[in-house]
Amino acid sequence: MADRFFPNDMPGLVAETTDQTPSIDSLTCLLSLPYSILSAKFQDYAFNLKQSVVRETWGSGGKRVKDYSLYTGALGTAYLLFKAYQVTKDVNDLNLCSEIVKACDSASADSSKVTFICGRAGVCALGAVIAKHSHNERLFDYYLRQFKEIVIPRDSPYELLYGRAGYLWTCSFLNKHIGNNTIPTTHMRSVVDEVIAAGRQLGRKGRCPLMYEWHGKKYWGAAHGLTGIMHVLMDMDLKPDEVEDVKGTLRYMIKNRFPSGNYPSSEGSENDRLVHWCHGAPGVTLTLVKAAKVWGDKEFLQAAEDAGEVVWNRGLLKRVGICHGISGNTYIFLSLYRLTGNEEHLYRAKAFACFLLDRAQNLISEGKMHGGDRPYSLFEGLGGMAYTCLDMVDPQGAKFPGYQL
């Protein structure tokens, strides 16, 4: 099976950028709806899908948790419920979310993983935020105390999914949702020092100011490499020379992207194939958008726009997920829209999301689209699709889960 859909597979989706007259099909009809009506369709679809996700990941397992992670496990379902609560303020979603987080807390009690997406830090952080919304001070104090007791193993990597960057992102998540200085800058600073020192040490061996390895490869992507680490560092209180190192690293990546505009998955790779959040232009776009916003740099804005073009032309993948699928790639256009206000980006987000709404489940059942190895999970499966549809209700507030604050 080819890795992505092509224009002749999706007539209603490419009308904006081709001269062909699209067939009047259900996808074309969806795209022509006023946004107020389309928003309601996204919400209704997401809520029905949410019920399936909860039933398959929580109810069918007897409310027992084996995989507690946000990525493929029960915490992802809790995060989806929290998103649903944010959209409708239905306390039933908040209460069920709290119940699932409690089960994840028990399942992760002995875990040494320290990140938001794949570790115990995510359980404690989401638990504290949910307890705050529930006005449960006892539970809030418990989860925050548990988070502060987390110790980063000395052999932890530096990337987002399993390493120090993922721990730092969790600190920023708590500070945003609970209040500034919930996790003091001084606490984060020691971890930032480690990340910067390691990046500089490996960077000296090449032309890039900061460089990191994970399992023997110098990855560039959001999940395990430079893109994700730079994304997190931009939220830290950096010294002037550290800011220049982050900027220099991003410029190095821009300079050494593929001629196609896509980005290598790792240093020296010549395989221009992956157009995913985890590896390739989508994750890089989100980080460049952030750089353009933080520093007001036109170079980063142009590079983000360029990477967004790659996602539009090559990012309609035959996968549904957030990590490596259409759900995640939809956020590239939402992010560019929020930054620039350009309606073309909102159209493209609508196009990808409407494709999911109109066709994804049928294509999965027909074997023409990959539903994910964990088909109801947040990062691989239908949980992520439900989350994306909820974010389409209010595009101005849409944030890639576990990555954008």
Side-chain angles (χ1 to χ4, degrees):
M1 183 172 71
D3 195 40
R4 60 182 67 91
F5 294 102
F6 290 93
N8 58 2
D9 298 318
M10 46 177 192
L13 197 60
V14 296
E16 177 206 23
T17 55
T18 72
D19 293 328
Q20 71 185 62
T21 301
S23 60
I24 306 301
D25 62 0
S26 54
L27 177 56
T28 307
C29 291
L30 276 174
L31 280 168
S32 67
L33 290 173
Y35 206 88
S36 58
I37 297 174
L38 185 58
S39 174
K41 285 187 175 293
F42 279 126
Q43 181 167 315
D44 289 345
Y45 184 78
F47 273 50
N48 288 331
L49 196 54
K50 178 201 72 176
Q51 296 300 104
S52 298
V53 170
V54 170
R55 182 175 63 250
E56 294 295 330
T57 62
W58 180 241
S60 66
K63 301 182 180 181
R64 291 188 299 272
V65 170
K66 293 181 180 178
D67 178 355
Y68 69 82
S69 74
L70 188 88
Y71 191 90
T72 53
L75 195 68
T77 301
Y79 205 64
L80 172 62
L81 287 162
F82 181 50
K83 180 65 182 179
Y85 166 74
Q86 290 175 302
V87 172
T88 67
K89 301 304 179 186
D90 184 341
V91 293
N92 291 318
D93 286 327
L94 190 67
N95 292 337
L96 182 54
C97 176
S98 181
E99 183 182 344
I100 295 173
V101 172
K102 286 179 184 178
C104 292
D105 176 47
S106 297
S108 66
D110 297 324
S111 175
S112 61
K113 297 177 181 176
V114 299
T115 66
F116 190 84
I117 296 175
C118 291
R120 177 158 173 78
V123 176
C124 299
L126 184 58
V129 171
I130 298 306
K132 180 188 177 185
H133 281 272
S134 303
H135 307 291
N136 188 327
E137 291 187 17
R138 180 193 62 79
L139 208 54
F140 172 80
D141 290 341
Y142 165 78
Y143 281 123
L144 197 56
R145 184 172 65 252
Q146 288 294 304
F147 177 81
K148 291 179 178 179
E149 290 177 0
I150 290 173
V151 177
I152 302 175
R154 299 179 78 178
D155 61 350
S156 283
Y158 299 92
E159 44 85 83
L160 185 77
L161 257 60
Y162 299 104
R164 289 170 169 84
Y167 176 82
L168 287 171
W169 192 91
T170 315
C171 295
S172 295
F173 175 84
L174 283 166
N175 285 339
K176 179 188 176 181
H177 287 277
I178 294 176
N180 287 335
N181 216 41
T182 299
I183 308 300
T185 300
T186 50
H187 175 80
M188 292 184 280
R189 184 67 231 184
S190 62
V191 184
V192 171
D193 286 341
E194 294 172 348
V195 174
I196 294 289
R200 284 174 171 171
Q201 183 176 2
L202 195 57
R204 290 194 194 103
K205 299 177 181 178
R207 297 163 292 162
C208 188
L210 302 171
M211 186 60 70
Y212 302 88
E213 280 188 346
W214 188 73
H215 289 293
K217 278 193 174 182
K218 298 179 179 68
Y219 283 103
W220 279 33
H224 302 299
L226 289 174
T227 299
I229 297 168
M230 297 308 107
H231 192 90
V232 170
L233 286 176
M234 280 187 274
D235 282 321
M236 300 297 113
D237 186 12
L238 300 180
K239 302 169 186 175
D241 60 321
E242 294 169 343
V243 170
E244 291 307 310
D245 279 352
V246 173
K247 289 182 177 180
T249 299
L250 293 175
R251 288 178 178 132
Y252 171 84
M253 295 174 70
I254 294 166
K255 182 180 178 181
N256 291 281
R257 60 191 163 182
F258 289 125
S260 69
N262 195 22
Y263 286 76
S265 59
S266 60
E267 183 79 356
S269 173
E270 297 180 0
N271 188 346
D272 182 3
R273 185 176 63 86
L274 303 178
V275 187
H276 305 162
W277 168 76
C278 47
H279 301 293
V284 177
T285 309
L286 297 180
T287 294
L288 290 172
V289 163
K290 186 170 185 176
K293 183 177 180 180
V294 169
W295 294 309
D297 193 309
K298 291 182 179 179
E299 178 187 4
F300 294 137
L301 174 58
Q302 185 59 57
E305 295 268 16
D306 293 344
E309 286 296 319
V310 175
V311 183
W312 175 244
N313 290 310
R314 298 172 56 188
L316 197 77
L317 306 174
K318 290 189 176 181
R319 292 177 178 270
V320 73
I322 287 274
C323 183
H324 35 274
I326 299 175
S327 297
N329 285 357
T330 302
Y331 284 92
I332 279 59
F333 311 119
L334 291 169
S335 186
L336 285 165
Y337 171 64
R338 287 202 319 275
L339 179 68
T340 67
N342 186 339
E343 293 285 335
E344 179 182 9
H345 296 307
L346 180 58
Y347 172 86
R348 291 178 171 187
K350 284 168 51 183
F352 272 37
C354 284
F355 185 88
L356 291 171
L357 184 68
D358 184 60
R359 303 181 182 181
Q361 287 187 287
N362 284 339
L363 288 168
I364 290 169
S365 65
E366 294 167 3
K368 297 176 181 177
M369 190 173 188
H370 198 300
D373 293 328
R374 287 84 165 183
Y376 290 91
S377 65
L378 183 65
F379 266 65
E380 289 185 356
L382 295 176
M385 190 167 108
Y387 196 102
T388 301
C389 287
L390 284 172
D391 258 337
M392 289 301 298
V393 173
D394 176 19
Q396 287 287 0
K399 303 289 178 65
F400 192 106
Y403 197 62
Q404 293 181 301
L405 289 167

